[in-house]
Amino acid sequence: MRGVDYYELLGVSRHASAAEIRSAYRSLAKVMHPDAGGTAGTFRLLREAYETLTDPELRDDYDGGGEPEPAPEPRPDRPRPRTRDDPDFVPHLPEIPPTAYPWSTTLPRDGRTILVPAVRPERAVVLGAAGAWVLLAVLAFAVGPPAAVLGVWLVLLAGAGVVLGGLTKRHLVARRADQAFVAELGGRTVFGRPGDEPDEVGQRLTADLLRTYLTKIPGVRVFHGLATEDGSVFADLDHAVLCGRRLVLIESKVWLPGHYDLDTAGRLRRNGHRFRGGTARLPGWLDAYRALLPGLELRGVLLLYPSRTGKITVGDAPADVPPMVPEQFVREIGTWLAADPSTIDKQAVRTLLRRVVTP
């Protein structure tokens, strides 16, 4: 933004490290956030400064720009050129026909879910131990062992009863924990809410997309507005979708129409040229969540919507965080999640819930 010095706005030197910039941003955001009495415009500017100065490439571009350019000399009024863009254009969610996501026909019809980690010890083990104990008891009194070994027999029977009692107790405790989980969270599939600022329309579109399509999978749980650090009040990550032991992290963007792909260095391009119209911070957040949930398979997606009349297309080269359009996302990510459609990882759900900034 011309006329605003990002370093001065954040109160750091031009040689400040990324950690110093991040610390300054978090301190200022606590008082400049709209919920704390700040204005939405000022907070967006603060966030823009933070995102620019913590991205090495964007920071190099910014630093290389020198002093802000002076305002241009006023020009005589002239007719504005006509454009084919609709001035009232609002990004919208496309309608995706069922034929575009055939995984929906493979879902279990009963809608049941399986909680993991499973109740331990399992019911079959407890019943088997109970049956063995009953058999020993029946034999002890039916056969009538000699008096010399009767005492040993009774000791074994008593020991087996203690073991059975312990198994039964642990099973009941675990079973009650599952019942408590279901009572508290089992009926909900979506947690948190997407951003409500005017520049966060992409988040709201993705929220509708996830609710409309991916929640058809019984085990899917959707999370909006997550922090990437313990105790943080900032929703760095737009969305997360969990199903079984698979987790998808999503960043939503409303960008210019065109063809987006990645170069060999993983940098985003638009129409064959390096894209400088926005930043994607998901790769760093992906690493943070891999460390947070090491037992899960993780994928990241940069989900794109056009900011004006036109179409967005994307390349198909493999990438850690590929750009996708909604139809492709529903087809590919839905297929990946539907491979284990009924499993809910209780521990992963609770871990993600602790990161949801706005319940």
mmCIF file with all atom_site columns, all heavy atoms in Angstrom, residues 10 59 67-68 76 94 96 111 127 131 167 170 172 189 193 206 234 253-254 269 290 293 303 309 328 338:
data_model
loop_
_atom_site.group_PDB
_atom_site.id
_atom_site.type_symbol
_atom_site.label_atom_id
_atom_site.label_alt_id
_atom_site.label_comp_id
_atom_site.label_asym_id
_atom_site.label_entity_id
_atom_site.label_seq_id
_atom_site.pdbx_PDB_ins_code
_atom_site.Cartn_x
_atom_site.Cartn_y
_atom_site.Cartn_z
_atom_site.occupancy
_atom_site.B_iso_or_equiv
_atom_site.pdbx_formal_charge
_atom_site.auth_seq_id
_atom_site.auth_comp_id
_atom_site.auth_asym_id
_atom_site.auth_atom_id
_atom_site.pdbx_PDB_model_num
ATOM 1   N N   . LEU A 1 10  ? 4.666   -1.562  12.010  1.00 0.00 ? 10  LEU A N   1
ATOM 2   C CA  . LEU A 1 10  ? 4.904   -2.629  12.978  1.00 0.00 ? 10  LEU A CA  1
ATOM 3   C C   . LEU A 1 10  ? 5.840   -2.215  14.101  1.00 0.00 ? 10  LEU A C   1
ATOM 4   O O   . LEU A 1 10  ? 5.975   -2.928  15.096  1.00 0.00 ? 10  LEU A O   1
ATOM 5   C CB  . LEU A 1 10  ? 5.471   -3.859  12.269  1.00 0.00 ? 10  LEU A CB  1
ATOM 6   C CG  . LEU A 1 10  ? 4.487   -4.626  11.379  1.00 0.00 ? 10  LEU A CG  1
ATOM 7   C CD1 . LEU A 1 10  ? 5.224   -5.594  10.473  1.00 0.00 ? 10  LEU A CD1 1
ATOM 8   C CD2 . LEU A 1 10  ? 3.477   -5.388  12.232  1.00 0.00 ? 10  LEU A CD2 1
ATOM 9   N N   . ARG A 1 59  ? 9.198   -9.677  0.855   1.00 0.00 ? 59  ARG A N   1
ATOM 10  C CA  . ARG A 1 59  ? 9.969   -8.656  1.562   1.00 0.00 ? 59  ARG A CA  1
ATOM 11  C C   . ARG A 1 59  ? 11.072  -8.092  0.672   1.00 0.00 ? 59  ARG A C   1
ATOM 12  O O   . ARG A 1 59  ? 11.321  -6.881  0.680   1.00 0.00 ? 59  ARG A O   1
ATOM 13  C CB  . ARG A 1 59  ? 10.550  -9.242  2.839   1.00 0.00 ? 59  ARG A CB  1
ATOM 14  C CG  . ARG A 1 59  ? 11.263  -8.205  3.716   1.00 0.00 ? 59  ARG A CG  1
ATOM 15  C CD  . ARG A 1 59  ? 11.696  -8.829  5.027   1.00 0.00 ? 59  ARG A CD  1
ATOM 16  N NE  . ARG A 1 59  ? 12.365  -7.851  5.879   1.00 0.00 ? 59  ARG A NE  1
ATOM 17  C CZ  . ARG A 1 59  ? 12.818  -8.114  7.105   1.00 0.00 ? 59  ARG A CZ  1
ATOM 18  N NH1 . ARG A 1 59  ? 12.655  -9.331  7.622   1.00 0.00 ? 59  ARG A NH1 1
ATOM 19  N NH2 . ARG A 1 59  ? 13.417  -7.178  7.820   1.00 0.00 ? 59  ARG A NH2 1
ATOM 20  N N   . GLU A 1 67  ? 11.580  4.332   -1.682  1.00 0.00 ? 67  GLU A N   1
ATOM 21  C CA  . GLU A 1 67  ? 10.600  5.200   -1.043  1.00 0.00 ? 67  GLU A CA  1
ATOM 22  C C   . GLU A 1 67  ? 9.275   5.126   -1.775  1.00 0.00 ? 67  GLU A C   1
ATOM 23  O O   . GLU A 1 67  ? 9.223   4.865   -2.984  1.00 0.00 ? 67  GLU A O   1
ATOM 24  C CB  . GLU A 1 67  ? 11.097  6.661   -1.040  1.00 0.00 ? 67  GLU A CB  1
ATOM 25  C CG  . GLU A 1 67  ? 12.350  6.867   -0.210  1.00 0.00 ? 67  GLU A CG  1
ATOM 26  C CD  . GLU A 1 67  ? 12.101  6.558   1.247   1.00 0.00 ? 67  GLU A CD  1
ATOM 27  O OE1 . GLU A 1 67  ? 11.003  6.866   1.727   1.00 0.00 ? 67  GLU A OE1 1
ATOM 28  O OE2 . GLU A 1 67  ? 12.993  6.000   1.891   1.00 0.00 ? 67  GLU A OE2 1
ATOM 29  N N   . PRO A 1 68  ? 8.175   5.368   -1.064  1.00 0.00 ? 68  PRO A N   1
ATOM 30  C CA  . PRO A 1 68  ? 6.872   5.375   -1.743  1.00 0.00 ? 68  PRO A CA  1
ATOM 31  C C   . PRO A 1 68  ? 6.845   6.386   -2.877  1.00 0.00 ? 68  PRO A C   1
ATOM 32  O O   . PRO A 1 68  ? 7.411   7.489   -2.762  1.00 0.00 ? 68  PRO A O   1
ATOM 33  C CB  . PRO A 1 68  ? 5.898   5.762   -0.629  1.00 0.00 ? 68  PRO A CB  1
ATOM 34  C CG  . PRO A 1 68  ? 6.598   5.393   0.636   1.00 0.00 ? 68  PRO A CG  1
ATOM 35  C CD  . PRO A 1 68  ? 8.063   5.609   0.377   1.00 0.00 ? 68  PRO A CD  1
ATOM 36  N N   . PRO A 1 76  ? -6.560  15.546  -16.775 1.00 0.00 ? 76  PRO A N   1
ATOM 37  C CA  . PRO A 1 76  ? -7.922  15.967  -17.148 1.00 0.00 ? 76  PRO A CA  1
ATOM 38  C C   . PRO A 1 76  ? -8.859  14.767  -17.174 1.00 0.00 ? 76  PRO A C   1
ATOM 39  O O   . PRO A 1 76  ? -8.451  13.646  -17.483 1.00 0.00 ? 76  PRO A O   1
ATOM 40  C CB  . PRO A 1 76  ? -7.732  16.562  -18.559 1.00 0.00 ? 76  PRO A CB  1
ATOM 41  C CG  . PRO A 1 76  ? -6.266  16.843  -18.676 1.00 0.00 ? 76  PRO A CG  1
ATOM 42  C CD  . PRO A 1 76  ? -5.561  15.858  -17.815 1.00 0.00 ? 76  PRO A CD  1
ATOM 43  N N   . PRO A 1 94  ? -19.742 -22.697 -7.287  1.00 0.00 ? 94  PRO A N   1
ATOM 44  C CA  . PRO A 1 94  ? -20.367 -23.371 -8.433  1.00 0.00 ? 94  PRO A CA  1
ATOM 45  C C   . PRO A 1 94  ? -21.173 -24.590 -7.984  1.00 0.00 ? 94  PRO A C   1
ATOM 46  O O   . PRO A 1 94  ? -20.894 -25.191 -6.947  1.00 0.00 ? 94  PRO A O   1
ATOM 47  C CB  . PRO A 1 94  ? -19.155 -23.801 -9.278  1.00 0.00 ? 94  PRO A CB  1
ATOM 48  C CG  . PRO A 1 94  ? -18.044 -23.959 -8.290  1.00 0.00 ? 94  PRO A CG  1
ATOM 49  C CD  . PRO A 1 94  ? -18.281 -22.900 -7.245  1.00 0.00 ? 94  PRO A CD  1
ATOM 50  N N   . ILE A 1 96  ? -21.887 -28.332 -8.316  1.00 0.00 ? 96  ILE A N   1
ATOM 51  C CA  . ILE A 1 96  ? -21.076 -29.464 -8.761  1.00 0.00 ? 96  ILE A CA  1
ATOM 52  C C   . ILE A 1 96  ? -21.990 -30.676 -8.886  1.00 0.00 ? 96  ILE A C   1
ATOM 53  O O   . ILE A 1 96  ? -22.554 -31.142 -7.886  1.00 0.00 ? 96  ILE A O   1
ATOM 54  C CB  . ILE A 1 96  ? -19.935 -29.739 -7.773  1.00 0.00 ? 96  ILE A CB  1
ATOM 55  C CG1 . ILE A 1 96  ? -19.119 -28.456 -7.556  1.00 0.00 ? 96  ILE A CG1 1
ATOM 56  C CG2 . ILE A 1 96  ? -19.047 -30.865 -8.270  1.00 0.00 ? 96  ILE A CG2 1
ATOM 57  C CD1 . ILE A 1 96  ? -18.056 -28.588 -6.493  1.00 0.00 ? 96  ILE A CD1 1
ATOM 58  N N   . GLY A 1 111 ? -24.707 -44.648 7.658   1.00 0.00 ? 111 GLY A N   1
ATOM 59  C CA  . GLY A 1 111 ? -24.175 -43.435 8.272   1.00 0.00 ? 111 GLY A CA  1
ATOM 60  C C   . GLY A 1 111 ? -23.500 -43.634 9.610   1.00 0.00 ? 111 GLY A C   1
ATOM 61  O O   . GLY A 1 111 ? -23.193 -42.667 10.310  1.00 0.00 ? 111 GLY A O   1
ATOM 62  N N   . LEU A 1 127 ? -16.064 -60.619 27.299  1.00 0.00 ? 127 LEU A N   1
ATOM 63  C CA  . LEU A 1 127 ? -17.014 -61.721 27.278  1.00 0.00 ? 127 LEU A CA  1
ATOM 64  C C   . LEU A 1 127 ? -16.298 -63.071 27.265  1.00 0.00 ? 127 LEU A C   1
ATOM 65  O O   . LEU A 1 127 ? -16.744 -64.037 27.910  1.00 0.00 ? 127 LEU A O   1
ATOM 66  C CB  . LEU A 1 127 ? -17.925 -61.601 26.056  1.00 0.00 ? 127 LEU A CB  1
ATOM 67  C CG  . LEU A 1 127 ? -18.905 -60.422 26.068  1.00 0.00 ? 127 LEU A CG  1
ATOM 68  C CD1 . LEU A 1 127 ? -19.715 -60.380 24.785  1.00 0.00 ? 127 LEU A CD1 1
ATOM 69  C CD2 . LEU A 1 127 ? -19.831 -60.494 27.279  1.00 0.00 ? 127 LEU A CD2 1
ATOM 70  N N   . GLY A 1 131 ? -16.670 -65.938 30.084  1.00 0.00 ? 131 GLY A N   1
ATOM 71  C CA  . GLY A 1 131 ? -17.041 -67.312 29.762  1.00 0.00 ? 131 GLY A CA  1
ATOM 72  C C   . GLY A 1 131 ? -16.050 -68.317 30.326  1.00 0.00 ? 131 GLY A C   1
ATOM 73  O O   . GLY A 1 131 ? -16.438 -69.373 30.839  1.00 0.00 ? 131 GLY A O   1
ATOM 74  N N   . LEU A 1 167 ? -10.713 -56.256 33.876  1.00 0.00 ? 167 LEU A N   1
ATOM 75  C CA  . LEU A 1 167 ? -11.036 -56.065 32.459  1.00 0.00 ? 167 LEU A CA  1
ATOM 76  C C   . LEU A 1 167 ? -12.393 -55.404 32.289  1.00 0.00 ? 167 LEU A C   1
ATOM 77  O O   . LEU A 1 167 ? -12.569 -54.492 31.480  1.00 0.00 ? 167 LEU A O   1
ATOM 78  C CB  . LEU A 1 167 ? -11.019 -57.414 31.737  1.00 0.00 ? 167 LEU A CB  1
ATOM 79  C CG  . LEU A 1 167 ? -9.648  -58.078 31.520  1.00 0.00 ? 167 LEU A CG  1
ATOM 80  C CD1 . LEU A 1 167 ? -9.831  -59.459 30.915  1.00 0.00 ? 167 LEU A CD1 1
ATOM 81  C CD2 . LEU A 1 167 ? -8.766  -57.222 30.624  1.00 0.00 ? 167 LEU A CD2 1
ATOM 82  N N   . ARG A 1 170 ? -12.209 -51.651 33.265  1.00 0.00 ? 170 ARG A N   1
ATOM 83  C CA  . ARG A 1 170 ? -11.556 -50.810 32.255  1.00 0.00 ? 170 ARG A CA  1
ATOM 84  C C   . ARG A 1 170 ? -12.437 -50.667 31.017  1.00 0.00 ? 170 ARG A C   1
ATOM 85  O O   . ARG A 1 170 ? -12.492 -49.595 30.401  1.00 0.00 ? 170 ARG A O   1
ATOM 86  C CB  . ARG A 1 170 ? -10.205 -51.404 31.892  1.00 0.00 ? 170 ARG A CB  1
ATOM 87  C CG  . ARG A 1 170 ? -9.160  -51.257 32.980  1.00 0.00 ? 170 ARG A CG  1
ATOM 88  C CD  . ARG A 1 170 ? -7.757  -51.473 32.445  1.00 0.00 ? 170 ARG A CD  1
ATOM 89  N NE  . ARG A 1 170 ? -7.557  -52.846 31.999  1.00 0.00 ? 170 ARG A NE  1
ATOM 90  C CZ  . ARG A 1 170 ? -7.150  -53.833 32.792  1.00 0.00 ? 170 ARG A CZ  1
ATOM 91  N NH1 . ARG A 1 170 ? -6.925  -53.598 34.081  1.00 0.00 ? 170 ARG A NH1 1
ATOM 92  N NH2 . ARG A 1 170 ? -6.967  -55.051 32.312  1.00 0.00 ? 170 ARG A NH2 1
ATOM 93  N N   . LEU A 1 172 ? -15.725 -50.714 30.923  1.00 0.00 ? 172 LEU A N   1
ATOM 94  C CA  . LEU A 1 172 ? -16.838 -49.815 31.231  1.00 0.00 ? 172 LEU A CA  1
ATOM 95  C C   . LEU A 1 172 ? -16.385 -48.360 31.271  1.00 0.00 ? 172 LEU A C   1
ATOM 96  O O   . LEU A 1 172 ? -17.092 -47.460 30.814  1.00 0.00 ? 172 LEU A O   1
ATOM 97  C CB  . LEU A 1 172 ? -17.491 -50.220 32.554  1.00 0.00 ? 172 LEU A CB  1
ATOM 98  C CG  . LEU A 1 172 ? -18.223 -51.569 32.541  1.00 0.00 ? 172 LEU A CG  1
ATOM 99  C CD1 . LEU A 1 172 ? -18.740 -51.902 33.939  1.00 0.00 ? 172 LEU A CD1 1
ATOM 100 C CD2 . LEU A 1 172 ? -19.370 -51.560 31.528  1.00 0.00 ? 172 LEU A CD2 1
ATOM 101 N N   . THR A 1 189 ? -20.815 -31.776 13.120  1.00 0.00 ? 189 THR A N   1
ATOM 102 C CA  . THR A 1 189 ? -19.837 -32.055 12.072  1.00 0.00 ? 189 THR A CA  1
ATOM 103 C C   . THR A 1 189 ? -18.985 -30.837 11.748  1.00 0.00 ? 189 THR A C   1
ATOM 104 O O   . THR A 1 189 ? -17.940 -30.974 11.104  1.00 0.00 ? 189 THR A O   1
ATOM 105 C CB  . THR A 1 189 ? -20.531 -32.526 10.786  1.00 0.00 ? 189 THR A CB  1
ATOM 106 O OG1 . THR A 1 189 ? -21.471 -31.520 10.371  1.00 0.00 ? 189 THR A OG1 1
ATOM 107 C CG2 . THR A 1 189 ? -21.262 -33.837 11.014  1.00 0.00 ? 189 THR A CG2 1
ATOM 108 N N   . ARG A 1 193 ? -16.169 -20.965 12.987  1.00 0.00 ? 193 ARG A N   1
ATOM 109 C CA  . ARG A 1 193 ? -16.867 -20.286 11.898  1.00 0.00 ? 193 ARG A CA  1
ATOM 110 C C   . ARG A 1 193 ? -15.859 -19.527 11.044  1.00 0.00 ? 193 ARG A C   1
ATOM 111 O O   . ARG A 1 193 ? -14.822 -19.072 11.539  1.00 0.00 ? 193 ARG A O   1
ATOM 112 C CB  . ARG A 1 193 ? -17.940 -19.339 12.438  1.00 0.00 ? 193 ARG A CB  1
ATOM 113 C CG  . ARG A 1 193 ? -17.456 -18.225 13.333  1.00 0.00 ? 193 ARG A CG  1
ATOM 114 C CD  . ARG A 1 193 ? -18.615 -17.283 13.664  1.00 0.00 ? 193 ARG A CD  1
ATOM 115 N NE  . ARG A 1 193 ? -18.183 -16.145 14.455  1.00 0.00 ? 193 ARG A NE  1
ATOM 116 C CZ  . ARG A 1 193 ? -18.269 -16.070 15.768  1.00 0.00 ? 193 ARG A CZ  1
ATOM 117 N NH1 . ARG A 1 193 ? -18.750 -17.091 16.458  1.00 0.00 ? 193 ARG A NH1 1
ATOM 118 N NH2 . ARG A 1 193 ? -17.875 -14.988 16.413  1.00 0.00 ? 193 ARG A NH2 1
ATOM 119 N N   . THR A 1 206 ? -15.712 -21.457 0.982   1.00 0.00 ? 206 THR A N   1
ATOM 120 C CA  . THR A 1 206 ? -15.179 -22.789 1.290   1.00 0.00 ? 206 THR A CA  1
ATOM 121 C C   . THR A 1 206 ? -16.003 -23.454 2.389   1.00 0.00 ? 206 THR A C   1
ATOM 122 O O   . THR A 1 206 ? -16.233 -24.671 2.353   1.00 0.00 ? 206 THR A O   1
ATOM 123 C CB  . THR A 1 206 ? -13.707 -22.688 1.713   1.00 0.00 ? 206 THR A CB  1
ATOM 124 O OG1 . THR A 1 206 ? -12.939 -22.177 0.616   1.00 0.00 ? 206 THR A OG1 1
ATOM 125 C CG2 . THR A 1 206 ? -13.153 -24.049 2.109   1.00 0.00 ? 206 THR A CG2 1
ATOM 126 N N   . PHE A 1 234 ? -5.213  -15.916 17.270  1.00 0.00 ? 234 PHE A N   1
ATOM 127 C CA  . PHE A 1 234 ? -5.281  -15.529 15.871  1.00 0.00 ? 234 PHE A CA  1
ATOM 128 C C   . PHE A 1 234 ? -5.543  -16.749 15.003  1.00 0.00 ? 234 PHE A C   1
ATOM 129 O O   . PHE A 1 234 ? -4.855  -17.764 15.103  1.00 0.00 ? 234 PHE A O   1
ATOM 130 C CB  . PHE A 1 234 ? -3.988  -14.840 15.433  1.00 0.00 ? 234 PHE A CB  1
ATOM 131 C CG  . PHE A 1 234 ? -3.663  -13.641 16.273  1.00 0.00 ? 234 PHE A CG  1
ATOM 132 C CD1 . PHE A 1 234 ? -2.621  -13.685 17.190  1.00 0.00 ? 234 PHE A CD1 1
ATOM 133 C CD2 . PHE A 1 234 ? -4.412  -12.486 16.174  1.00 0.00 ? 234 PHE A CD2 1
ATOM 134 C CE1 . PHE A 1 234 ? -2.333  -12.585 17.976  1.00 0.00 ? 234 PHE A CE1 1
ATOM 135 C CE2 . PHE A 1 234 ? -4.137  -11.391 16.958  1.00 0.00 ? 234 PHE A CE2 1
ATOM 136 C CZ  . PHE A 1 234 ? -3.098  -11.442 17.863  1.00 0.00 ? 234 PHE A CZ  1
ATOM 137 N N   . LYS A 1 253 ? -8.592  -18.419 -1.162  1.00 0.00 ? 253 LYS A N   1
ATOM 138 C CA  . LYS A 1 253 ? -8.164  -17.167 -1.769  1.00 0.00 ? 253 LYS A CA  1
ATOM 139 C C   . LYS A 1 253 ? -9.130  -16.759 -2.879  1.00 0.00 ? 253 LYS A C   1
ATOM 140 O O   . LYS A 1 253 ? -9.617  -17.606 -3.640  1.00 0.00 ? 253 LYS A O   1
ATOM 141 C CB  . LYS A 1 253 ? -6.766  -17.309 -2.367  1.00 0.00 ? 253 LYS A CB  1
ATOM 142 C CG  . LYS A 1 253 ? -5.662  -17.542 -1.340  1.00 0.00 ? 253 LYS A CG  1
ATOM 143 C CD  . LYS A 1 253 ? -5.462  -16.333 -0.438  1.00 0.00 ? 253 LYS A CD  1
ATOM 144 C CE  . LYS A 1 253 ? -4.306  -16.546 0.521   1.00 0.00 ? 253 LYS A CE  1
ATOM 145 N NZ  . LYS A 1 253 ? -4.148  -15.375 1.438   1.00 0.00 ? 253 LYS A NZ  1
ATOM 146 N N   . VAL A 1 254 ? -9.399  -15.471 -2.965  1.00 0.00 ? 254 VAL A N   1
ATOM 147 C CA  . VAL A 1 254 ? -10.177 -14.902 -4.064  1.00 0.00 ? 254 VAL A CA  1
ATOM 148 C C   . VAL A 1 254 ? -9.206  -14.067 -4.888  1.00 0.00 ? 254 VAL A C   1
ATOM 149 O O   . VAL A 1 254 ? -8.818  -12.969 -4.491  1.00 0.00 ? 254 VAL A O   1
ATOM 150 C CB  . VAL A 1 254 ? -11.353 -14.046 -3.543  1.00 0.00 ? 254 VAL A CB  1
ATOM 151 C CG1 . VAL A 1 254 ? -12.119 -13.432 -4.696  1.00 0.00 ? 254 VAL A CG1 1
ATOM 152 C CG2 . VAL A 1 254 ? -12.281 -14.889 -2.675  1.00 0.00 ? 254 VAL A CG2 1
ATOM 153 N N   . ARG A 1 269 ? 2.650   -19.253 -10.001 1.00 0.00 ? 269 ARG A N   1
ATOM 154 C CA  . ARG A 1 269 ? 2.633   -18.471 -11.233 1.00 0.00 ? 269 ARG A CA  1
ATOM 155 C C   . ARG A 1 269 ? 1.193   -18.300 -11.711 1.00 0.00 ? 269 ARG A C   1
ATOM 156 O O   . ARG A 1 269 ? 0.337   -19.144 -11.455 1.00 0.00 ? 269 ARG A O   1
ATOM 157 C CB  . ARG A 1 269 ? 3.443   -19.171 -12.328 1.00 0.00 ? 269 ARG A CB  1
ATOM 158 C CG  . ARG A 1 269 ? 4.907   -19.390 -12.003 1.00 0.00 ? 269 ARG A CG  1
ATOM 159 C CD  . ARG A 1 269 ? 5.641   -19.956 -13.197 1.00 0.00 ? 269 ARG A CD  1
ATOM 160 N NE  . ARG A 1 269 ? 5.035   -21.218 -13.649 1.00 0.00 ? 269 ARG A NE  1
ATOM 161 C CZ  . ARG A 1 269 ? 5.432   -21.891 -14.724 1.00 0.00 ? 269 ARG A CZ  1
ATOM 162 N NH1 . ARG A 1 269 ? 6.421   -21.418 -15.462 1.00 0.00 ? 269 ARG A NH1 1
ATOM 163 N NH2 . ARG A 1 269 ? 4.840   -23.030 -15.056 1.00 0.00 ? 269 ARG A NH2 1
ATOM 164 N N   . ARG A 1 290 ? 1.872   -31.011 11.016  1.00 0.00 ? 290 ARG A N   1
ATOM 165 C CA  . ARG A 1 290 ? 2.512   -32.334 10.970  1.00 0.00 ? 290 ARG A CA  1
ATOM 166 C C   . ARG A 1 290 ? 3.189   -32.638 12.307  1.00 0.00 ? 290 ARG A C   1
ATOM 167 O O   . ARG A 1 290 ? 3.152   -33.768 12.785  1.00 0.00 ? 290 ARG A O   1
ATOM 168 C CB  . ARG A 1 290 ? 3.534   -32.382 9.843   1.00 0.00 ? 290 ARG A CB  1
ATOM 169 C CG  . ARG A 1 290 ? 2.933   -32.546 8.449   1.00 0.00 ? 290 ARG A CG  1
ATOM 170 C CD  . ARG A 1 290 ? 3.987   -32.959 7.440   1.00 0.00 ? 290 ARG A CD  1
ATOM 171 N NE  . ARG A 1 290 ? 3.398   -33.180 6.127   1.00 0.00 ? 290 ARG A NE  1
ATOM 172 C CZ  . ARG A 1 290 ? 3.558   -32.372 5.093   1.00 0.00 ? 290 ARG A CZ  1
ATOM 173 N NH1 . ARG A 1 290 ? 4.302   -31.292 5.224   1.00 0.00 ? 290 ARG A NH1 1
ATOM 174 N NH2 . ARG A 1 290 ? 2.994   -32.644 3.938   1.00 0.00 ? 290 ARG A NH2 1
ATOM 175 N N   . LEU A 1 293 ? 0.277   -33.291 14.950  1.00 0.00 ? 293 LEU A N   1
ATOM 176 C CA  . LEU A 1 293 ? -0.471  -34.547 14.788  1.00 0.00 ? 293 LEU A CA  1
ATOM 177 C C   . LEU A 1 293 ? 0.359   -35.529 13.961  1.00 0.00 ? 293 LEU A C   1
ATOM 178 O O   . LEU A 1 293 ? 0.030   -35.821 12.792  1.00 0.00 ? 293 LEU A O   1
ATOM 179 C CB  . LEU A 1 293 ? -1.818  -34.269 14.106  1.00 0.00 ? 293 LEU A CB  1
ATOM 180 C CG  . LEU A 1 293 ? -2.784  -33.388 14.906  1.00 0.00 ? 293 LEU A CG  1
ATOM 181 C CD1 . LEU A 1 293 ? -3.860  -32.805 14.006  1.00 0.00 ? 293 LEU A CD1 1
ATOM 182 C CD2 . LEU A 1 293 ? -3.412  -34.193 16.034  1.00 0.00 ? 293 LEU A CD2 1
ATOM 183 N N   . LEU A 1 303 ? -7.198  -23.222 -2.158  1.00 0.00 ? 303 LEU A N   1
ATOM 184 C CA  . LEU A 1 303 ? -8.473  -23.247 -2.873  1.00 0.00 ? 303 LEU A CA  1
ATOM 185 C C   . LEU A 1 303 ? -8.765  -21.861 -3.444  1.00 0.00 ? 303 LEU A C   1
ATOM 186 O O   . LEU A 1 303 ? -8.808  -20.867 -2.695  1.00 0.00 ? 303 LEU A O   1
ATOM 187 C CB  . LEU A 1 303 ? -9.580  -23.686 -1.921  1.00 0.00 ? 303 LEU A CB  1
ATOM 188 C CG  . LEU A 1 303 ? -10.891 -24.178 -2.519  1.00 0.00 ? 303 LEU A CG  1
ATOM 189 C CD1 . LEU A 1 303 ? -10.676 -25.241 -3.586  1.00 0.00 ? 303 LEU A CD1 1
ATOM 190 C CD2 . LEU A 1 303 ? -11.793 -24.714 -1.421  1.00 0.00 ? 303 LEU A CD2 1
ATOM 191 N N   . THR A 1 309 ? -15.327 -11.413 -13.133 1.00 0.00 ? 309 THR A N   1
ATOM 192 C CA  . THR A 1 309 ? -15.827 -12.276 -14.187 1.00 0.00 ? 309 THR A CA  1
ATOM 193 C C   . THR A 1 309 ? -14.677 -12.960 -14.906 1.00 0.00 ? 309 THR A C   1
ATOM 194 O O   . THR A 1 309 ? -13.737 -12.312 -15.345 1.00 0.00 ? 309 THR A O   1
ATOM 195 C CB  . THR A 1 309 ? -16.664 -11.465 -15.187 1.00 0.00 ? 309 THR A CB  1
ATOM 196 O OG1 . THR A 1 309 ? -17.706 -10.785 -14.489 1.00 0.00 ? 309 THR A OG1 1
ATOM 197 C CG2 . THR A 1 309 ? -17.270 -12.374 -16.240 1.00 0.00 ? 309 THR A CG2 1
ATOM 198 N N   . GLN A 1 328 ? -12.462 -29.570 -8.634  1.00 0.00 ? 328 GLN A N   1
ATOM 199 C CA  . GLN A 1 328 ? -11.322 -30.474 -8.484  1.00 0.00 ? 328 GLN A CA  1
ATOM 200 C C   . GLN A 1 328 ? -11.142 -30.876 -7.024  1.00 0.00 ? 328 GLN A C   1
ATOM 201 O O   . GLN A 1 328 ? -10.858 -32.034 -6.703  1.00 0.00 ? 328 GLN A O   1
ATOM 202 C CB  . GLN A 1 328 ? -10.060 -29.789 -9.007  1.00 0.00 ? 328 GLN A CB  1
ATOM 203 C CG  . GLN A 1 328 ? -8.794  -30.613 -8.847  1.00 0.00 ? 328 GLN A CG  1
ATOM 204 C CD  . GLN A 1 328 ? -7.548  -29.804 -9.159  1.00 0.00 ? 328 GLN A CD  1
ATOM 205 O OE1 . GLN A 1 328 ? -7.625  -28.587 -9.352  1.00 0.00 ? 328 GLN A OE1 1
ATOM 206 N NE2 . GLN A 1 328 ? -6.410  -30.469 -9.214  1.00 0.00 ? 328 GLN A NE2 1
ATOM 207 N N   . ALA A 1 338 ? -12.815 -40.324 1.477   1.00 0.00 ? 338 ALA A N   1
ATOM 208 C CA  . ALA A 1 338 ? -13.838 -41.378 1.469   1.00 0.00 ? 338 ALA A CA  1
ATOM 209 C C   . ALA A 1 338 ? -13.239 -42.772 1.474   1.00 0.00 ? 338 ALA A C   1
ATOM 210 O O   . ALA A 1 338 ? -13.976 -43.756 1.571   1.00 0.00 ? 338 ALA A O   1
ATOM 211 C CB  . ALA A 1 338 ? -14.745 -41.214 0.257   1.00 0.00 ? 338 ALA A CB  1
#
